[in-house]
Structure formats: structure tokens, C-alpha cells
């Protein structure tokens, strides 16, 4: 939605023609149709890169078939060979430093869990600390674009857990898809039953079921991409933001200015770009009972954010194929569904 809004706004500003489609017969056909129709710049928000980059079924790579068309893909960097060299000059990969934002969300999750008695009244039904310490993650696909959130989230959980001298169980499911909200509710319910008090939703519409379940059972969820903190007020802790409209605007304007050939083929948008981060926590702040403790937690999160920005804390970036080492997170016990 953010990408669509971004292109609409940019089109009005610079006067270009645009078309938005949802693939009904597969991503390759959609890309080819747009290229055949003469669209010079094509953004693909799909997690399907093989036909574009490598070609499938004996067909030439779509990027090679349309050398005068610039294709932009998100959340991964598939446009490289085994040696790491660029394959196509007309493909731009866009990454967001969501691993860093996810780290903040993980750190925040432990902070609110460890201070639950101060923060939350009896309307919440959080699992007591003397019973269990658990946090969950539900992703749409087992891909770099999803794992990048989970690994950063785990590392943030570990950081805070070390501060409190505790251990957390981490419940994860990476193949929930993006469309079945009922499945999200079911899986989240299972994680909540096992002792998780916070479940991170990174699965499109599936997340709607996760947040609904959090409200139903008196627990807490984290949302993704847009600011969805008001989706279930008081039960969405924060949203890890990935504002795709930011690079859409930047790249489209660069094309219109005739400068797209000068752009890096791999672009990364960090916290400072405004394209990623976590929300300002204002909505959740309306529902906590101890404002002083809440402000202390926010200050701790800001300090961690500053340390990440300053390079003191290094977060694993799976989008760049950096390997995640569970041994470096000894305060988190990973339990993958």
C-alpha cells in the first residue's frame, strides 16, 4: 500500500503515467506484460525473483529480454552470481535496515515483559514471569526477506534478556503465508498458550489474525511495515516500519530526472532515511498505568537505537546473506514450528 501511495503521489508531482496490478497468473507474466506495454520502470513487491534474474523453464531472464526497462525488487538482493558479481545492469535491489528496527522491537518486548506488573492492569492476561518467559514470531515465507526480521528480533531479545539475567523461549513459524488471518490467529493462540506474551507478525493479512488473537486473550502483538499500532489499541506494542513508498519516490524521481543509470544497483534505506524504524510508541503509551516506567523503557530503547546507528551494536542482516549464529544469543532458546 505504501508503494502504491508513493507512486500515485509521485506521478501527480512529475506527471508520469503509472499502472498498479496484482499478479493473477504469476509474477513472470505480470512483469512481461508491463514491459511489453512500454512501462520503463517496474517495481515488483513480490518474493519471486527467479524468472526476472535467471529465467525459468528454459526461458531467458526477463531482465535480459527487456534491457531498456529498469526493474526494481525489494527485500532481497537476488541480482548477483555465485561470486557476488552483478548479473543485470537494469535491476535495482532495494533493502531496508529492518534488521535494526526488529532488534529494537525485540529489546522493547523483553523490557515490557519484565515490567509487566508496573505497566499493565488486570485487563491484560499476561503469563507471569515465574511461569514462563516467551516471545513469538510468525513470518510469511522462509526467505531472507522474512528471516531478516526474525534474526534481528532474536538478537534484540537476547540483549535485553542478558541485562535482566533471564532466558526467553522463542517460538517461530516461517511459512504462514500472507493471506490467511485465521491461520495467524491459530498459530498466535498456540504461542500464547505456550507462554509467549508478545508475538511479532510479519505476514501481511495473517497479522490481522495475530493482533485480533492478542486482544482476545489479553496478550500483545507487534505489527509490520505500516504503523498499525491502532489496529487493536493497547494490544499492538509497536510496528516495525518498512515504508516502501520512500524508495519508490526516490527511484521514480531519479528516473524522471534522467539519473537512474547513476544510481547504485543495491540500495539500502536505514533508520535515518525515514523508511524504517519502529513507531513512536504513542498509542501503547495511552494504555500503560505507570508512565514513569514507560518513559524509562523508551529511553533505554533510544539508547540502543543510538548504539546501533553509531556502530556499537552490529545486527545480523540476512538480506545481505549474513549468517545468524544462535550461539551468540545464549539467552534465547529457539523453538521453530
Amino acid at each position: 500500500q505504501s508503494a502504491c501511495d508513493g507512486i500515485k503521489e509521485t506521478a501527480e508531482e512529475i506527471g508520469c503515467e503509472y499502472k498498479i496490478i496484482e499478479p493473477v497468473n504469476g509474477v513472470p507474466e505480470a512483469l512481461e506484460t508491463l514491459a511489453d506495454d512500454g512501462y520503463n520502470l517496474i517495481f515488483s513487491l513480490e518474493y519471486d525473483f527467479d524468472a526476472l534474474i535467471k529465467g525459468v523453464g528454459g526461458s531467458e531472464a526477463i531482465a535480459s529480454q527487456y534491457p531498456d526497462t529498469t526493474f526494481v525488487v525489494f527485500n532481497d538482493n537476488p541480482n548477483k552470481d555465485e561470486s557476488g558479481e552483478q548479473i543485470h545492469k537494469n535491476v535495482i535491489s532495494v533493502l531496508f535496515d529492518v534488521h535494526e528496527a526488529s532488534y529494537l522491537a525485540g529489546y522493547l518486548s523483553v523490557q515490557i515483559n519484565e515490567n509487566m506488573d508496573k505497566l499493565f492492569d488486570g485487563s491484560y492476561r499476561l503469563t507471569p514471569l515465574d511461569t514462563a518467559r516467551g516471545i513469538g514470531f510468525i513470518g510469511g515465507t522462509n526467505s531472507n526477506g522474512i528471516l531478516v526480521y526474525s534474526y534481528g528480533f532474536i538478537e534484540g531479545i537476547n540483549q535485553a534478556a542478558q541485562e535482566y539475567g533471564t532466558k526467553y523461549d522463542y517460538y517461530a513459524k516461517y511459512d504462514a503465508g500472507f493471506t490467511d488471518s485465521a491461520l495467524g490467529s491459530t498459530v498466535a493462540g498456540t504461542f500464547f498458550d505456550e507462554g509467549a506474551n508478545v508475538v511479532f507478525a510479519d505476514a501481511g493479512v495473517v497479522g490481522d489474525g495475530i493482533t485480533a488473537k492478542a486482544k482476545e486473550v489479553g496478550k500483545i502483538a507487534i505489527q509490520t511495515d505500516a504503523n498499525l499500532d491502532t489496529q487493536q489499541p493497547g494490544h499492538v506494542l509497536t510496528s516495525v516500519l518498512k515504508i516502501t513508498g520512500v524508495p519508490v519516490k526516490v527511484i521514480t524521481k531519479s528516473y524522471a530526472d534522467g539519473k537512474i543509470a547513476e544510481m547504485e544497483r543495491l540500495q539500502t534505506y536505514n533508520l535515518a532515511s525515514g523508511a524504517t524504524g519502529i513507531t513512536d510508541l504513542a498509542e501503547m503509551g495511552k494504555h500503560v498505568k505507570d508512565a514513569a516506567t514507560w518513559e524509562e523503557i523508551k529511553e533505554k530503547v533510544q539508547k540502543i537505537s543510538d548504539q546501533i546507528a553509531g556502530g556499537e551494536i552490529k545486527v545480523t542482516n540476512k538480506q545481505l546473506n549474513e549468517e545468524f549464529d544462535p550461539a551468540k544469543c545464549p539467552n534465547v532458546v529457539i523453538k521453530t514450528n
Side-chain angles (χ1 to χ4, degrees):
Q1 186 62 50
S2 173
C4 293
D5 291 343
I7 195 61
K8 290 175 183 177
E9 293 169 9
T10 308
E12 291 176 2
E13 182 180 336
I14 66 177
C16 69
E17 180 183 342
Y18 71 91
K19 184 176 183 179
I20 298 171
I21 65 171
E22 292 189 36
V24 292
N25 296 315
V27 175
E29 182 173 316
L31 294 175
E32 291 174 345
T33 298
L34 288 170
D36 283 333
D37 287 347
Y39 288 91
N40 310 104
L41 179 61
I42 300 174
F43 296 92
S44 175
L45 275 293
E46 299 286 345
Y47 287 88
D48 186 342
F49 312 115
D50 283 351
L52 175 65
I53 305 298
K54 303 175 183 177
V56 295
S59 297
E60 185 181 9
I62 294 173
S64 296
Q65 295 179 47
Y66 301 94
D68 296 326
T69 302
T70 300
F71 298 90
V72 183
V73 298
F74 292 78
N75 308 315
D76 206 341
N77 181 26
N79 187 35
K80 57 184 181 180
D81 58 24
E82 293 181 357
S83 63
E85 296 298 316
Q86 175 183 293
I87 300 174
H88 303 287
K89 295 181 180 179
N90 59 329
V91 174
I92 296 174
S93 298
V94 173
L95 303 181
F96 302 84
D97 284 342
V98 291
H99 57 302
E100 297 179 348
S102 297
Y103 188 105
L104 297 179
Y107 182 85
L108 173 63
S109 296
V110 172
Q111 292 292 339
I112 64 107
N113 199 59
E114 293 295 325
N115 291 279
M116 67 172 74
D117 291 340
K118 294 180 181 179
L119 295 174
F120 304 111
D121 60 26
S123 65
Y124 291 85
R125 300 187 294 279
L126 301 173
T127 301
L129 295 176
D130 59 2
T131 300
R133 283 180 167 86
I135 293 175
F137 178 92
I138 300 173
T141 62
N142 192 351
S143 64
N144 287 356
I146 297 296
L147 293 174
V148 66
Y149 287 90
S150 181
Y151 293 163
F153 193 50
I154 292 170
E155 291 174 347
I157 292 169
N158 185 74
Q159 171 72 28
Q162 286 181 333
E163 291 180 10
Y164 284 97
T166 60
K167 280 196 174 185
Y168 273 75
D169 290 326
Y170 185 79
Y171 304 96
K173 182 175 178 63
Y174 295 126
D175 59 355
F178 297 92
T179 60
D180 189 348
S181 61
L183 175 63
S185 177
T186 299
V187 177
T190 299
F191 290 173
F192 289 139
D193 288 344
E194 290 175 335
N197 281 333
V198 181
V199 173
F200 186 172
D202 185 23
V205 175
V206 174
D208 298 349
I210 295 168
T211 58
K213 177 60 71 171
K215 180 180 180 180
E216 176 190 331
V217 301
K219 299 293 183 79
I220 295 171
I222 293 173
Q223 263 288 12
T224 325
D225 294 348
N227 184 341
L228 300 175
D229 292 8
T230 59
Q231 189 176 64
Q232 300 290 350
H235 294 277
V236 178
L237 175 60
T238 188
S239 302
V240 172
L241 302 174
K242 183 177 66 181
I243 310 300
T244 51
V246 172
V248 164
K249 289 180 179 181
V250 170
I251 294 170
T252 302
K253 289 180 180 179
S254 179
Y255 181 84
D257 292 340
K259 298 180 179 179
I260 197 164
E262 302 169 14
M263 296 190 84
E264 293 291 335
R265 299 297 95 173
L266 174 61
Q267 298 197 14
T268 301
Y269 290 76
N270 60 17
L271 299 176
S273 73
T276 188
I278 61 173
T279 57
D280 62 9
L281 307 178
E283 179 59 37
M284 195 65 186
K286 300 174 185 177
H287 302 274
V288 299
K289 64 180 184 179
D290 186 335
T293 298
W294 183 240
E295 287 303 314
E296 288 175 6
I297 290 172
K298 288 170 62 178
E299 289 174 5
K300 286 184 177 181
V301 173
Q302 184 58 53
K303 182 178 179 180
I304 293 296
S305 179
D306 293 342
Q307 289 177 336
I308 291 173
E312 295 175 56
I313 295 176
K314 177 71 170 64
V315 186
T316 298
N317 189 350
K318 185 60 177 174
Q319 291 175 121
L320 298 180
N321 284 317
E322 293 178 1
E323 289 302 316
F324 170 70
D325 183 1
K328 293 184 178 179
C329 294
N331 291 64
V332 180
V333 179
I334 300 172
K335 301 182 177 182
T336 304
N337 186 318

